[in-house]
Each structure stands twice: as C-alpha cells, then as structure tokens.
Amino acid sequence: MSVTFPRGFRAASTTAGLKPSGKPDLALIVCDAQAADVASAAMVFTRNAVTGAPVIIGRERRAALLSRCAQAQPAGLRAVLINAGNSNAATGQQGVRDALACCQAVAAALGCEIGAVVPSSTGVIGRPLQVAKIVNAVPALVSALAAGPEADSGAASAIMTTDLVAKTVQRSATIGGHEVRFGAIAKGSGMIAPRLDSAFGPPSASGTMLAFITTDARICTTDLQHALELASAGSFDRISVDNHPSCSDTVIAMASGQAGGGAGGSAGDSAIRRGTREYDSLCAELRAVCEDLARQIIVDGEGATRTFRINIAGAASNAAAAAMCQQVVNSPLVKCAIHGRDPNWGRIVTAAGNAGVNFDIGHTSLTIGPVVVFQHGSPLPEALTDLRLREALAASHVELRLTVGSGSGHYWMTGCDLSKQYVAINAEYTT
Amino acid sequence: MSVTFPRGFRAASTTAGLKPSGKPDLALIVCDAQAADVASAAMVFTRNAVTGAPVIIGRERRAALLSRCAQAQPAGLRAVLINAGNSNAATGQQGVRDALACCQAVAAALGCEIGAVVPSSTGVIGRPLQVAKIVNAVPALVSALAAGPEADSGAASAIMTTDLVAKTVQRSATIGGHEVRFGAIAKGSGMIAPRLDSAFGPPSASGTMLAFITTDARICTTDLQHALELASAGSFDRISVDNHPSCSDTVIAMASGQAGGGAGGSAGDSAIRRGTREYDSLCAELRAVCEDLARQIIVDGEGATRTFRINIAGAASNAAAAAMCQQVVNSPLVKCAIHGRDPNWGRIVTAAGNAGVNFDIGHTSLTIGPVVVFQHGSPLPEALTDLRLREALAASHVELRLTVGSGSGHYWMTGCDLSKQYVAINAEYTT
C-alpha cells in the first residue's frame, strides 16, 4: 500500500491508450474524508516560465483553497487525476479546456464540484491531449476505486514514463498521541531538476517529476502548504538528473483528517497547528517522505548507474553554497568522472568555481568519500590518495565534501552519473 | 601559416614530455617587433573563481601593460609560452612559482624581462607542474624559432589536449590604407563554455579554451584590450560544449605594429585609434578571427557529430535572451535530441523557460531550420511538420529560432550535440 495506507483514501488506475506501449496510463487518487471539512490539500509546482495546462489549473486551485482556508471554509481536494503519455504542455488555451473536460468527467462520476479535482499530466510536450480517450476511461477508473490495496501499485506504475521502477512510500508516526499515516507515489527519471515554487527553494534548480502524497493528519490547508514547501525545498529541489526543470513538475499533498484528534473543521481545535511541537514532527515526517521519493527518483535517473552527493560548507551564505552545488551536480564532466570512477577531482573544484560566487582557493579543501585530495588550496600527493580514491569512487553512492572557506553557508545536492545509456534514452528512441 | 603570417612574429614547438602520449606539448610565440615601442598586447581570462597559476600571472601582466600604456610607455609582450598536459591549476603558491620559473627560462633565452613573458597551460588539474622538463626543453624551443612557416602548425598541434584537429586562422584586410594581417591558433574540445572577463560578456558562461592571436596592426594596448573584449563577447562567450567553464580559459592577442603606417610609439600618430572607422574595421576583423576559432572549437567539441545555434528574439533585454540561450544550448535533453534528430521540440521551449526569466508563452514561436513547429503558444499539427522537421534535423548544423514576445532583446549561442562518444571520452579514458 502507499497512497491508500492513510485512512480516507482510495486509488485506481486504468489504460486510456495514451502510451504507445499500451501500458496503463491513467491514475486517480480520491480523498473520501467522512467529514469533508477536515480535509486539506497543498501543492507546489515548477518554476519553469513555460507551464503545462494542468499546472495552470493547479495554481488556480491552490489559490482558491488557501483563500477558503483563510475564511475557515472547507479547503480540501476530492481527487487528483493523473495521466502519463502526454504532458498537455505548450498546447495553448485548448490545453486548458482539454484538462478541464477531463476533470469534469471525474467530478461528474464522483458527484463533486469540478473545483475539487486537480489534473496532472506527464509525457510528450506540444501535442493535443487525447481528451476522448481519457473521458471514455473515467467510468472504468472510478469503478476500479473499489479494488483495495492493490490499486496503489497500479497507480504508481500508471504514472511512469521512462521510469524503470515504480516509486512508493509508506510510513507512520505518532504525533500528538495519534498514529498519523503517510503514503506517496511519484514518477520521474529524466527532465529532472525540480525547482518548485515554494518560499524556501534555491534561487534556481530543474525535470518532469510528479509526486502525490496522502496523509490522514488533521491539519488546515495553510499549514499543510507551509509544511509541503519546507519539505520540497529540502528534498525535491536538491536532486538533479539533467538540470532541465520540466514544465510539469508537481507535488500534491492531500490530508484526510481521519487520524483521530476529535471533531472539528479545518481550523478545528484538534488540528496540528504551525508553531507547535506536533507541527514540527509532522514537518519532519513529510520531509522524510519527500526525501525518500527524491532518493528513489535520482537512483532511477535516466541511465544512472550510481549517485553522488555534493556537500558544500564554509560558504558566505547558504545561497552561495546552493549555487555552487548546482554547478557541481550538473557538470557533465563531474557526472562522467563519477560514471568512469575517474579520480579527476579538478572537475569538482572548477565546477564550484563557475557559480558566479567568489571564494578563496587557499582555504578550499575537497574530500571524496573518506579521502582528502585537496587541502587548503594544494593537492595531496597522488601516491597518497590514488588507490584509496579509486576504492571510494567504486561505491554505488559517493559523498563529496567541499569546504570553501570559514563562512556559515552550507548546502547539499544529490545527482547521478552520466552514462551512454542516458544518451541512448534521449537520442536513439525518438518520440 | 597562422600566428607567423602577420609581420613580426615567430613560433616554435617541441616535446617536453608532459603528455602521456609523448606528443609535442610545448609551444612558444614570440613577437619580434623591430621597434618594441609599437608592440602591444591584450588578454581575457576565465571568470571561474578557481584560476590556474598562469591566469593569476596573466592578470598581473595585463594590469601592468595597461598601466604602462596609460603612461605612454612601451606595453607589448615578447613571448607566450604554452604547454599542454598539465594545467598548473589548483596547485597553490607552488604553481605560481613553477610557472614563473618556466617564464624565467624563456626570458633568459630571449634576452628579455620576465615581465614580457606570459605562461599558459592546459591539461590535468591538481598536479604539480613538471618544471624541470619544461625548463630543459626551452633551449630547443628557442632554437626552433628559426624553423619558419612550418612552426605554426607545430604550435597549433602542441597545445591540443582532446582536440581531434588543430585550429588555425589566417586573414588580412586593408585598414587605413595598409594591409593588416591576422593569425591565430587555438585549442579546445571539452570543458568548453568560456565566460571571459571582458566588459561585454554575458552574466554567466564555461571550458579549457586557449586562443592566441597575432596581428601586425599598430594599435595601443588599451585599444587592443577593448577590441579583444568586444570580439570575445561576440564569439568565445557564445559557445558551449559542456557548460563547464575551465579555470584556464585564456585569449591573448599580440600586435607587432609592423603593418606600416609610419613611425611612432604605442600612442603614435599612425596608430589605429578607438573612435575611428579604422578601429571599427579592426574590431570587425578581430571578431571574425575569434568567430572562426570559436566555430572550429565547437565543431571539434568532445564527441560532437553536429552543431546547432539557438537564436532568441523578442525578449525583454539582451541579458534575458542570453540567459535563455544558456539554458537551451546546455540542456542535455536538447543536445540529445539534436544528436538523435529527434523532433521533440518541447525540450527547446521548456529549456528556455528555465532561465529565471518570465515570458508570455502565448506570444512564443519556434522555428527549426525552415520549419515552424510552434506559433503563438500553440503547436502546429504534426502532420504538417513532421517530415520536413526530420529533414531539417538531419543537417550537420541546425538553426533554432525562438521568439518569446515583442521585446527588443536578442542573443544567440552555438552548441554541439551530446553523444555516447562524449561519455566515453570523459568517463572511460581515466586520467
């Protein structure tokens, strides 16, 4: 189980016929909170200046829900409809009309307002959405909601594009005396370097990544939004496969409020509220869910055979460290060196030097795994490091630690290697 | 002939033993202006925060020459000593001492001041320079200066690293009634995306690229520096193989003043001066030399099989257009699509969307070669474009034209495709 592990959710998937492979391509997650007024939802989207129609609609939904929450009105979502095979992006106004037609079909079948349904799409850019195929598939999809726990893995698979494995998370924690459950599914392998529109993101970042998180926590939409933005900035914003943020990156969290904690509306007395220890616990759990999904995405990056994390410390600011991390994690030369287990560490130091941030090379040191290779601006003798370095580079995950001075700024990002398979996936298999 | 085509220059190359291949690795270009006071020199270097020892020394030389020029004193260079096989970068203070020792050997052999010699290095980062090998090779190098026209091609080959072909330019123009000659050699294939420290560069850019330009124009150092900065911003700063600016990128121009135009010092009456039509002509010629070298570098980019240019127009500013060009030219997804002749043009539009610059997708159009694929925010029917698009993508060079509104901002950059061979060069052949 994943998204149906928390109380109050159902999920389903089916085949609408959008993927050339003929595999399942349509998924539905439904929040069935008994008391609709305790449900809430939060969303973050790509910062790409080009956005798919589902992101345009999602942003409108988010604004409406936050406004309703501020007025102490019910502010939850009933359903998220997700398709793979077509991103419905760069499709003009027709794309928005198409996405709304699909939402309307779901709303009619579930008996809810269209405003309680959010669409989400991934796949080829710039092709009209095949609306009839989706609308025709909705009745079967809604019928399949009765399928039970099996439905989760079907949904996680249906949203995949070039992913090799389905990505799911399931966890629970005791918060405020109640067991709070979390579930999630995500997809993402290429066009991955999310820069989500949270208040906490780095100045820049990039991929199509979709993630859908459910929880039965009782929390209002405003507080859930804050928690999701924090969690995204600490997880999805810190991975990059190819430094190309997608026009469709989306993370949606839905809370059913079914975890217990008494009655009450979205602003009810028993809700987990910002500023409390319980809220901090929920934020930590939500971040752990997002970190887990982000890790699954980077491990399944297109063509990836190993991963690495660049940790930068001693910078003038966190923003400076983040800018340097971006350069290292996205340098094709660094990625190829990781792929080839090449101890050519000068690529790492010079990549950091390309962030438009000055630092004193005389106070710069680099450690690869447990091996110091560069200290206070000078290289350590190769004879001392070479064998140990090759050993460190043979690991499936490599930790790089770069200290660039004595400032308090720090940041980290996780990336994957660049292999011939990445080129094959993105060049040879033409769409 | 190349660097010795202009009057007043000699060149030579030899094998010092720095390349594992045992190929020639050391080159020398000497300016033999009969009247040393009419010689001048200009330089631009990487903006990487990490710089090799030769760049540190080169910047000091530049400041000294500009200062001398301002005081109407002779401000030329006598020689540039270039080695491949070791970049002498990330080598601490020892690296600076090592580079100066090499310059001193050249100065002694030529009978000039050490301040009239600039070092330039490319190769592996973070390894001590093999000073003794270089110093021992200097006598043979200086003897070889007598070799004549053949010496040029030897120098162009000696500075190569992963380059497959030597890069040279030779051209002449009549400026102010005199035939002015230009010659140049360059190297560069990987770690290429120069962002040079001119006053006209884009906000950001990356590679090891070395270029050495000679001319017999009579021009003072200050005016030559301005002309070189203009030329670099319009050429080297507009190419990217892998978006990883090197710590060693260097362009050096030397003028001998031997083209005629009467007597006079660096500020002499007959010199080509900024603000004149002759100066504009010289700037145009110098830019043509730099564009030619830049084109040769991108065509020989590591693993490159074809090139493309992204032209962006209609942006709010040139800087906005430049930022969008950077994203397109460096997106691995765009580069793989070009490699695979994949008509997946959504990658181009979304890459532009990642520059942190807003634009109206409803006023955005994209043309690939002669084929309009996206117009005013909507895709053209695939049936109309597909065959012609595949034809356009089969060309050895592809022009992409993206209009993002009705602003006056425009820019272009040239890149190359991403192939499996790029991965092989940078991952499989460990250093």
Side-chain angles (χ1 to χ4, degrees), chain A residues 111-306:
Chain A
C112 69
E113 299 289 318
I114 187 175
V117 182
V118 171
S120 189
S121 301
T122 181
V124 182
I125 297 166
R127 295 206 188 141
L129 190 67
Q130 305 94 314
V131 180
K133 286 185 176 176
I134 295 176
V135 168
N136 290 341
V138 164
L141 192 61
V142 170
S143 303
L145 285 170
E150 293 294 307
D152 287 68
S153 58
S157 298
I159 66 175
M160 286 163 52
T161 52
T162 54
D163 305 60
L164 297 179
V165 297
K167 296 156 185 77
T168 65
V169 169
Q170 172 183 326
R171 62 186 286 141
S172 63
T174 301
I175 302 179
H178 302 287
E179 187 211 21
V180 176
R181 296 179 181 179
F182 298 85
I185 61 173
K187 65 81 53 178
S189 183
M191 207 178 260
I192 294 293
R195 303 175 196 186
L196 299 161
D197 60 351
S198 75
F200 311 99
S204 67
S206 78
T208 294
M209 180 207 69
L210 304 181
F212 307 98
I213 303 162
T214 57
T215 175
D216 47 21
R218 180 167 295 188
I219 180 168
C220 80
T221 288
T222 303
D223 289 350
L224 184 60
Q225 181 69 30
H226 180 82
L228 181 63
E229 292 185 14
L230 265 177
S232 296
S235 56
F236 302 120
D237 279 354
R238 296 190 182 221
I239 59 171
S240 177
V241 172
D242 49 19
N243 197 25
H244 188 123
S246 162
C247 50
S248 304
D249 292 331
T250 296
V251 183
I252 297 178
M254 291 189 283
S256 68
Q258 304 295 297
S266 60
D269 288 335
S270 61
I272 298 172
R273 294 176 166 286
R274 193 170 162 185
T276 63
R277 209 169 56 183
E278 288 73 24
Y279 187 75
D280 293 343
S281 298
L282 179 124
C283 286
E285 290 298 318
L286 196 59
R287 175 160 170 167
V289 170
C290 294
E291 281 180 347
D292 196 342
L293 293 176
R295 186 190 55 76
Q296 293 181 53
I297 289 170
I298 202 75
V299 168
D300 192 26
E302 286 176 342
T305 68
R306 52 167 55 88

Side-chain angles (χ1 to χ4, degrees), chain B residues 384-395:
Chain B
L384 288 184
T385 60
D386 196 52
L387 276 178
R388 290 166 59 226
L389 190 49
R390 287 179 190 275
E391 200 175 283
L393 286 166

Side-chain angles (χ1 to χ4, degrees), chain B residues 47 49 61 82 107 119 145-146 161 167 172 209 214 227 237 240 249 256 290 295 320 323 330 338 380 384 400 421:
Chain B
R47 293 187 187 195
R61 297 277 183 273
I82 312 134
L145 285 170
T161 53
K167 296 156 184 78
S172 63
M209 181 208 69
T214 57
D237 280 354
S240 177
D249 292 332
S256 69
C290 293
R295 184 192 56 76
N330 290 315
I338 295 290
L380 270 78
L384 288 184
L400 311 173
Q421 185 60 15

